[in-house]
Amino acid sequence: MSEHSANPSSATAATGRSRAVKAVVPAAGLATRFLPATKAVPKELLPVVDRPVLQYIVEEATQAGIGDVLLITGRGKTSMVDHFDRRPDLEARLEAKGDAERLAAVRGPSELAEIYTCRQPEQLGLGHAVGYAESHVGDQPFAVLLGDEFVKPAEPLLPAMLELQARTGGVVLAFFEVDPAETKRYGIASVEPAEAELTDIGEVVRVTGMVEKPKPEDAPSNLAVLGRYVLPASVFDAIRRTEPGSGGEIQLTDAMELLRSEGTPVHAIVYRGTRYDTGMPLGYLQTVVQIAAEREDLGAEFRKWLAEFVNSDASGVTGT
């Protein structure tokens, strides 16, 4: 079993509720925006410098004390599981060469957490995908981490979300501010101030309503749902009772709104840290550049080259 476990704070212990120690990563999508690259390679394994996106996400979970990760996969995505498995042949070769640094990098993913998988045969929405986690999660709260975005390790988000859910027992979301014109890409919330006893956790708000991908003129705010959720097990029943919504799919947003309408408290943390969004080619490229520029081993030389490239006539950026 994994050595990673969450140690509840005294505040959590006082509520009598357990803190979530399992995470679910829905990763069964076709990633059509990245075709043809994703015809054979899952989008979640596209490299950000020298680690795949999915590894950053699992590392984010383990940093928060979660040691049990369920990947919701689809057809042709078994290589995601392989990434977190051992490679004795490769390890033996690196060990024979005395390459301790690369040996540690190869072994690292298999030591992060206990990795489990479940197949989603059809992609019928995020709510539909999360529903497949019920038998693994049971009756305990759990985290959901979308497979195409993650946050900067030095600016963690998940620990505060886990604490907030343990105190309230309800649904916990994370928001970030978007340009009003971009609301049609996200779940958008209406909010009010949170209870005073929760404000020590961070910038907490109480959610009064949610709508999936509204037009700018219909959006209740510019607070968009970031791809992190901490949910009570009651969400599974709500998913079963949720009719197809936006895009003809079973939306997790709609299931959470059903819970809220029936009295389950819904809170959110407004995240002001660095969020990396690899869900579209532009965001993926921006993530690669930003992380490469910040790397101690690459950053200085890469930033120098990047500045020269951007300022050169050959780049086409500042041509005359």
Side-chain angles (χ1 to χ4, degrees):
M1 296 298 290
S2 170
E3 295 179 357
H4 301 279
S5 62
N7 295 316
S9 69
S10 57
T12 301
T15 67
R17 301 189 185 98
S18 60
R19 181 184 292 204
V21 294
K22 294 183 179 182
V24 175
V25 181
L30 298 176
T32 55
R33 293 187 182 96
F34 285 86
L35 288 170
T38 50
K39 179 181 178 182
V41 179
K43 178 184 68 174
E44 295 81 7
L45 292 187
L46 293 179
V48 176
V49 187
D50 55 5
R51 279 183 288 168
V53 174
L54 185 58
Q55 184 172 332
Y56 284 93
I57 292 167
V58 173
E59 288 172 349
E60 182 182 337
T62 59
Q63 182 186 16
I66 289 176
D68 181 308
V69 178
L70 175 68
L71 306 179
I72 307 295
T73 68
R75 187 174 293 106
K77 291 203 165 189
T78 56
S79 55
M80 291 193 302
V81 183
D82 293 339
H83 178 72
F84 295 96
D85 202 355
R86 294 289 299 270
R87 273 290 303 272
D89 57 332
L90 178 57
E91 292 173 22
R93 178 166 296 187
L94 292 171
E95 191 167 13
K97 291 172 61 178
D99 194 339
E101 182 177 353
R102 288 188 174 85
L103 178 60
V106 168
R107 285 178 174 169
S110 66
E111 298 170 348
L112 285 172
E114 299 285 355
I115 303 295
Y116 302 90
T117 63
C118 177
R119 178 71 66 90
Q120 182 189 14
E122 292 183 274
Q123 287 72 60
L124 300 177
L126 180 57
H128 181 258
V130 171
Y132 275 85
E134 184 172 11
S135 61
H136 183 80
V137 169
D139 61 356
Q140 298 299 309
F142 64 103
V144 174
L145 292 77
L146 298 194
D148 54 14
E149 59 184 298
F150 56 97
V151 304
K152 193 172 185 176
E155 301 165 354
L157 166 64
L158 200 52
M161 295 182 68
L162 297 174
E163 175 67 16
L164 181 56
Q165 199 284 328
R167 290 200 200 178
T168 65
V171 171
V172 171
L173 311 175
F175 295 153
F176 67 104
E177 292 186 325
V178 298
D179 186 287
E182 294 294 301
T183 58
K184 61 183 178 294
R185 291 181 52 205
Y186 303 97
I188 301 294
S190 56
V191 302
E192 64 184 21
E195 299 87 330
E197 63 268 22
L198 298 176
T199 56
D200 65 301
I201 297 176
E203 190 175 345
V204 180
V205 294
R206 189 176 182 98
V207 180
T208 59
M210 291 178 285
V211 59
E212 183 69 22
K213 300 176 181 178
K215 296 178 181 179
E217 60 269 25
D218 298 327
S221 74
N222 71 329
L223 291 176
V225 179
L226 193 152
R228 297 292 179 270
Y229 313 80
V230 186
L231 306 171
S234 57
V235 75
F236 295 119
D237 178 65
I239 289 171
R240 282 190 288 272
R241 294 185 288 124
T242 297
E243 296 294 328
S246 176
E249 297 179 333
I250 299 173
Q251 299 292 347
L252 182 60
T253 300
D254 294 338
M256 293 187 299
E257 175 61 13
L258 176 60
L259 287 178
R260 189 200 65 80
S261 69
E262 295 175 344
T264 297
V266 180
H267 294 82
I269 292 176
V270 180
Y271 184 63
R272 305 291 183 183
T274 303
R275 166 183 171 268
Y276 303 106
D277 184 354
T278 64
M280 294 191 295
L282 178 59
Y284 170 73
L285 291 173
Q286 291 169 334
T287 298
V288 173
V289 170
Q290 186 171 350
I291 288 181
E294 294 174 350
R295 285 268 296 255
E296 290 185 3
D297 57 338
L298 301 172
E301 187 174 352
F302 179 68
R303 288 193 301 270
K304 180 177 180 294
W305 172 86
L306 188 61
E308 292 171 352
F309 174 75
V310 169
N311 291 321
S312 70
D313 289 343
S315 72
V317 176
T318 58
T320 57

